[in-house]
Amino acid sequence: MKSIIINIHGSCVSRDLFRGQEDSPLVVGEYIARSTIFSTMAAPVKISDPSFHEKGTWRKRLVQMDCGKKLFDCFREHPSDILLLDGIDERLGVLTFGGGAALTMSPYAQQELPAPVLAGGGTRLSVADKPAGDEKMRAGICAAAA
């Protein structure tokens, strides 16, 4: 039976649906969590601290991807048969910066980002502050589907 690769942009809730399914052809490829579509479609957040760019844990890699807006690059480099977009992480807040830059304020970001980045951020948006019809969110979903 041919494997069906599923890339996930979302949460462990979606990832865990496929665990323990030895007889299933469904296989999780790339799993990217703790990044909102809003942040993914924003401009990158530039971090000058060299230690931030060093290799690290899976959590750090997720924060680096969110800051650099590398989600779709990752999915292009690791193609799949299905892309599952799970909106659970849209509940996380977003920290905006000048020039349209933003990043997801996940617990991982709060642990991995250099303190000056967190202190230097501008507006913190919560789920209630993100417009329901936000163009960036729609564009992100369309780009992911392409």
Side-chain angles (χ1 to χ4, degrees), residues 87-106:
I88 292 175
D89 284 344
E90 294 303 314
R91 75 191 189 287
L92 299 171
V94 174
L95 184 61
T96 63
F97 298 82
L103 61 85
T104 305
M105 284 307 301
S106 69

Side-chain angles (χ1 to χ4, degrees), residues 41-104:
M41 298 310 297
V45 175
K46 294 177 177 51
I47 307 226
S48 58
D49 183 339
S51 67
F52 176 74
H53 300 283
E54 295 171 1
K55 288 192 177 208
T57 64
W58 177 77
R59 290 176 178 198
K60 184 174 185 179
R61 184 182 79 127
L62 294 177
V63 177
Q64 290 167 329
M65 288 181 71
D66 189 37
C67 288
K69 311 309 171 199
K70 301 293 185 188
L71 172 88
F72 295 118
D73 292 341
C74 178
F75 288 155
R76 275 190 288 277
E77 291 169 15
H78 305 278
S80 64
D81 301 298
I82 297 171
L83 174 59
L84 192 156
L85 295 173
D86 156 355
I88 292 175
D89 284 344
E90 294 303 314
R91 75 191 189 287
L92 299 171
V94 174
L95 184 61
T96 63
F97 298 82
L103 61 85
T104 305

